[in-house]
Amino acid sequence: MKGNSALNASSPDKDFRKIGIVGMGYVGLPLAVAFAESGRDVIGLEANPSRVEAINRSESYIEDIPSETLAGLGDRVKATDDYAELGDCEAVIICVPTPLTGSREPDLSYLESAADNLAEVMSPGQTIVLESTTYPGTTRDLLATALEEGGRKAGEDFHLAFSPERIDPGRTDFTVRTTPKLVGGMTPACTERAVSLYGQICDRVVPLSGPEAAELSKLLENIFRSVNIALVNELAQLCDRLGVDVWEVIDAAATKPFGFMRFEPGPGMGGHCLPVDPFYLAFKAREHDFYPEFIELAGKVNQSQPLFCVNRIERVLNDNAKPVNGTKILILGVSYKGGVGDTRESPSIKIIRLLRELGAEVSYHDPHVPELKEAGLSNSPDIGSALAEAELSVIVTAHPEFDWEEIIARSPLVFDLRGVTRGFEDSGNVTRL
């Protein structure tokens, strides 16, 4: 099977009647729904008891999956915390978190636990696919090693592949079905089985030469974004010193119909992939005495962007004869992107911490995040009251529910980190990044 070819595997493989999914979060639950909608039975393995109970009550905790959708699937989606229930599944897909440690190195403890537990209940002929983002070699060196305990061999006794998740929470124009699926198996037979599996729910499946190519492809996708976001964030810092409007510069460059791709500055990067992936690749590269300085620098720039934003907040307050200490600051949006409630690696958390260290009285309003446990804060439910009480409103996340005209009208001061207030140039109380 050629690594650069694409298969249109629209005909369902009747061998895949029951699918197991390990990890029912932002990746696992949409996958479960997609397979169930294709007529398959799905067993979702989830360690969080409240999630298990919610799924079995047909209640969704993911914005992209309405509870009505789960309810309509009936008994085709079932959640459990017992790995033994995965034993009779024809395929098992692993979608566990792969975060970073406090020292910004890969934390594969969730994957290691899943592999060890799965190895105890595997049945002959199963197809196992890893979707969790990781560094090249993880499928072969970690997962295959664990699953081959006891004399089993990938490609003979079971099939093993890597297929990177490409879920973009909150997005509706590209879905599980319409987003091309990359697949790289340990052997050609493994790849073929995985292609057949995903052909049930994806319009286009792209087979690669092996798991390492698929693992690295996912890292490249996100590091491409990370590097370009770092570039435009640095440009924003330079424009601040030069007294030039960075948004005007970006708008001007974007008029070029070729050779330029628009990226916009902001408070930093968040989510489960973009802030993490550069460090995963850098970790693996160092094992081979290679130091990807360009990639690591992009990660550092984006990690430091919240501090730049806080410095700008200090200046905005100073220009209006206000100190940070004791000032009531409202953070508008604390999730990592608009339209979702995911706060993983959200720059808002770091901004809130830094402002508190300076003595600010910080509150937040976010229609998607009722509680921000990382900061010990609860959502201010009434945005009108929250705006009235705040001395400065900081737009960190551009949720579609926000009414920018209302926010500007009700706020004494507004600092916009997302460029959403362009068009309100006549408002004298607005400052943009």
Side-chain angles (χ1 to χ4, degrees):
M1 191 172 292
K2 295 181 180 180
N4 291 326
S5 65
L7 295 185
N8 188 332
S10 58
S11 298
D13 189 329
K14 296 297 189 290
D15 290 340
F16 296 109
R17 300 179 302 275
K18 191 173 185 180
I19 312 296
I21 297 178
V22 181
M24 295 292 280
Y26 280 89
V27 176
L29 187 57
L31 266 181
V33 169
F35 277 110
E37 288 178 338
S38 75
R40 274 65 190 176
D41 292 326
V42 179
I43 300 293
L45 192 290
E46 174 57 54
N48 186 328
S50 64
R51 285 187 172 185
V52 171
E53 294 172 2
I55 291 172
N56 290 334
R57 291 194 307 266
S58 297
E59 294 180 6
S60 176
Y61 41 84
I62 302 294
E63 291 95 337
D64 294 349
I65 305 296
S67 295
E68 294 78 11
T69 299
L70 275 182
L73 297 172
D75 296 332
R76 290 206 297 275
V77 176
K78 175 188 174 185
T80 181
D81 62 359
D82 185 2
Y83 272 86
E85 295 197 42
L86 302 179
D88 62 347
C89 293
E90 286 81 22
V92 177
I93 302 172
I94 302 173
C95 306
V96 296
T98 48
L100 296 173
T101 66
S103 57
R104 312 304 287 177
E105 292 193 345
D107 177 4
L108 297 181
S109 58
Y110 297 100
L111 177 56
E112 291 168 350
S113 175
D116 291 342
N117 282 292
L118 192 55
E120 296 180 1
V121 302
M122 283 175 63
S123 57
Q126 270 189 330
T127 297
I128 310 296
V129 183
L130 175 60
E131 287 216 6
S132 306
T133 302
T134 185
Y135 53 77
T138 302
T139 304
R140 189 180 304 275
D141 299 336
L142 188 157
L143 188 54
T145 299
L147 298 181
E148 289 181 337
E149 282 290 328
R152 288 183 296 248
K153 187 168 180 60
E156 297 178 8
D157 303 294
F158 67 98
H159 296 92
L160 179 62
F162 181 81
S163 180
E165 61 88 2
R166 283 172 152 180
I167 298 290
D168 189 3
R171 190 161 200 145
T172 57
D173 51 346
F174 288 101
T175 64
V176 171
R177 177 161 292 281
T178 60
T179 303
K181 201 80 172 81
L182 304 180
V183 170
M186 290 281 290
T187 67
C190 292
T191 302
E192 186 175 353
R193 288 289 290 175
V195 166
S196 181
L197 169 66
Y198 285 109
Q200 302 172 55
I201 61 170
C202 300
D203 291 338
R204 184 171 180 237
V205 184
V206 182
L208 301 177
S209 60
E212 289 81 5
E215 290 162 338
L216 191 52
S217 295
K218 174 58 186 293
L219 294 182
L220 173 59
E221 292 172 11
N222 287 331
I223 290 171
F224 170 82
R225 288 181 53 78
S226 172
V227 167
N228 281 280
I229 290 170
L231 171 65
V232 79
N233 279 338
E234 256 195 347
L235 180 67
Q237 296 184 31
L238 175 61
C239 284
D240 177 55
R241 297 192 181 193
L242 295 175
V244 177
D245 185 346
V246 66
W247 302 101
E248 181 183 6
V249 173
I250 294 169
D251 286 343
T255 62
K256 187 177 182 180
F258 56 90
F260 180 81
M261 182 175 291
R262 184 187 183 101
F263 286 83
E264 296 186 345
M269 290 195 313
H272 61 296
C273 284
L274 291 186
V276 173
D277 291 0
F279 294 97
Y280 262 77
L281 186 57
F283 170 82
K284 188 63 177 179
R286 288 194 295 269
E287 290 185 349
H288 294 267
D289 295 322
F290 183 84
Y291 299 89
E293 297 179 12
F294 193 73
I295 295 171
E296 288 186 309
L297 178 60
K300 291 175 182 177
V301 169
N302 289 323
Q303 285 289 313
S304 66
Q305 186 71 359
L307 177 58
F308 169 71
C309 292
V310 169
N311 290 338
R312 286 292 315 276
I313 290 172
E314 287 186 271
R315 284 169 43 201
V316 169
L317 289 173
N318 186 64
D319 290 343
N320 288 273
K322 292 179 179 293
V324 178
N325 190 9
T327 294
K328 295 180 179 179
I329 298 177
L330 174 66
I331 303 296
L332 292 168
V334 294
S335 61
Y336 83 91
K337 65 174 290 188
V340 303
D342 193 347
T343 61
R344 285 176 293 179
E345 300 285 335
S346 173
S348 295
I349 297 170
K350 186 178 287 188
I351 289 173
I352 289 171
R353 176 177 59 79
L354 292 170
L355 288 173
R356 282 174 151 182
E357 289 174 358
L358 294 172
E361 296 182 22
V362 183
S363 60
Y364 82 89
H365 175 77
D366 190 312
H368 297 272
V369 184
E371 185 178 9
L372 191 63
K373 294 180 180 179
E374 301 93 329
L377 292 173
S378 295
N379 181 44
S380 302
D382 182 7
I383 188 171
S385 299
L387 291 170
E389 293 175 6
E391 298 171 81
L392 171 66
S393 298
V394 183
I395 300 170
V396 181
T397 308
H399 285 305
E401 294 89 346
F402 287 152
D403 182 333
W404 308 123
E405 190 170 5
E406 176 192 15
I407 287 170
I408 292 170
R410 294 194 176 195
S411 302
L413 292 172
V414 176
F415 184 38
D416 175 11
L417 303 182
R418 295 289 185 179
V420 293
T421 59
R422 286 172 291 168
F424 298 96
E425 281 78 6
D426 294 338
S427 303
N429 62 332
V430 178
T431 304
R432 286 189 294 273
L433 183 66

